[in-house]
Amino acid sequence: MAREEKLTCQGCGVAIQTENKDKPGFVPSSALENEEIICQRCFRLKHYNDVQDVGYSDGDFLKMISQIADTKSLVVKIVDVFDFNGSFIKSLHRLTGNNPIILVGNKIDLLPKSTNLNRLKQWMKKSAKDYGLTVQDVFLVSSKTGKGFDEVKANMNAYRQGKDVYVVGCTNVGKSTFINYLINESTGTKEAITTSYFPGTTLGFIDIPLDHNASLYDTPGVINRQQLTHYLSKQDIKTITPTKEIKPRVYQINDKQTLFVGGLIRIDFIKGERQPFVLYFANALDIHRTKLEKADQLYVDHLGGMLQPPSESSKAEYPPLQERTFKVSGEKTDIVLPGLGWITLSGEPATIAVSSPSDVPVSVRSAII
Ligand SMILES: Nc1nc2c(ncn2[C@@H]2O[C@H](COP(=O)(O)OP(=O)(O)OP(=O)(O)O)[C@@H](O)[C@H]2O)c(=O)[nH]1
Ligand SMILES: [Mg+2]
C-alpha cells in the first residue's frame, strides 16, 4: 500500500498540523520537537476525558479502510461480544478484499461468569457464516484482563505468515485497547494508543512494527448508525456502557406489565403466562416496572427524571420511540437492542412489544447464554 511519509499522531493516527487549533491533528509547533507527538484532541481525551468533534464523515473512514483491499495481509476483525449484532458490520469484508480474516470477540469480561464460552464461540462461527463471512478462525478475548491473548497471539502469528496485520471493526469494539494490550506485553509501554468510550476515537492508520518486514495496524472504526450510542449525549453514553461483568437482572413479569430501561426503551408484555424476563444491560442502568395502562403517562411525566438516560438536558434530542411487536415461542430467545444489551425470554409463548428509536432496529436471535 502506498503511504505518504507524513507526521501522524501516535495516539489516533491523524495527520499532524500546526495551523488550525480547531481542526483535527493540531499540535503547537513547539511540540514538534518532542519525541512522542500527540495531537491536542488525544491530549484532551487522555487527560480530561473530553472529546473534540472532528468533521469526518462515515464515508471518510470507509475510504481509509478500503485501502486494505490493495494489501496482502491478515485481517483481524474485532467484534464486541456484548453487542455482537450491532458491532458486526456485514459490509466490512468488502473493504478488506480477499485477505484472510480471523474474528475476535472482545470484552468477554463483561459477560456473566456462567457464560459458556465454547458455545459462544460456536454461535459466533455460525453467525458469521449466516452473515456471509468466511473466517479462518474465531477467538474470544478480554483486552481489559488479557484473557485469551496467548491463544490469539499465537494464531495471529501463524495465520499472518510474515505479512502485515490490520485490526478492523466497528467503532468502540476495542481495537485500540486490543493493540495496547499487545504493545504493553511486548514493550511494557502502557496505553500507547488513545482509547475512549466515545465512538470514533482512532482517526487514521497507526503503524506498530512487528519485525523488520511487517507491521500491525490500528484502523479507524466503521460507524454503525443503528447503534443506540449515536442518539445519546456523552454523559448518557457513559451510563449505558458496561464497565464490569454484567449482572443479569431477572424480573417475573405478568402480562399487561411494562418495563422501562431508563427512558431509552420500553418493553410491553402484551400476552402470555407470567414468566421471567432476564435483562442484560449495564448495571448502572435503572429498570422500572409499571402497569401497561399507566406506561404512556409515566413516560410523558418522568422521561429525563426517574426514567433516564436520556437526562433532562438531553431528552429533547432523543428520538421518539417506535413500537415493534415480537412473538416468541418454543425456543429460548434474545431480544437485542444494538449498543444497549438484550433481554432473554424462556421460550414460553409470549407476545412482546418493544419501543425504541426507529433507527435502532430491535432484532431477535436464539439465546446466546
Ligand atoms: N470491559 C471492557 N471494555 C473494553 C475492552 N476493550 C475495550 N474496552 C473499552 O471499550 C471502549 C472503546 O475502546 P477503544 O479501544 O477505544 O475502541 P476502538 O475499537 O479502538 O474504537 P474507535 O477507535 O472509536 O473505532 C473503551 O472505553 C475501552 O476501555 C474489554 O476487553 N473489556
Ligand atoms: Mg481506536
Side-chain angles (χ1 to χ4, degrees), residues 264 299 315-323 355-359:
L264 298 170
Y299 193 71
K315 70 177 188 188
E317 271 101 297
Y318 193 66
L321 303 185
Q322 185 183 322
E323 184 182 292
S355 303
S356 66
S358 57
D359 291 332

Side-chain angles (χ1 to χ4, degrees), residues 142-160:
S142 164
S143 302
K144 196 170 168 179
T145 67
K147 196 168 171 189
F149 266 76
D150 288 345
E151 197 189 355
V152 86
K153 247 173 45 188
N155 280 282
M156 260 167 61
N157 249 329
Y159 280 116
R160 80 180 174 90

Side-chain angles (χ1 to χ4, degrees), residues 175-176 194 201-202 218-219:
K175 298 177 293 302
S176 302
T194 308
T201 303
T202 306
D218 193 5
T219 70

Side-chain angles (χ1 to χ4, degrees), residues 158-222:
Y159 280 116
R160 80 180 174 90
Q161 299 179 311
K163 292 188 289 234
D164 290 338
V165 180
Y166 287 86
V167 177
V168 303
C170 184
T171 53
N172 250 357
V173 294
K175 298 177 293 302
S176 302
T177 310
F178 175 84
I179 294 173
N180 276 346
Y181 193 89
L182 294 170
I183 295 175
N184 184 27
E185 259 198 340
S186 65
T187 70
T189 306
K190 286 195 166 47
E191 292 172 35
I193 303 175
T194 308
T195 65
S196 82
Y197 58 83
F198 305 116
T201 303
T202 306
L203 299 179
F205 287 7
I206 304 176
D207 181 336
I208 297 104
L210 289 171
D211 52 43
H212 285 304
N213 303 312
S215 290
L216 173 74
Y217 291 96
D218 193 5
T219 70
V222 177

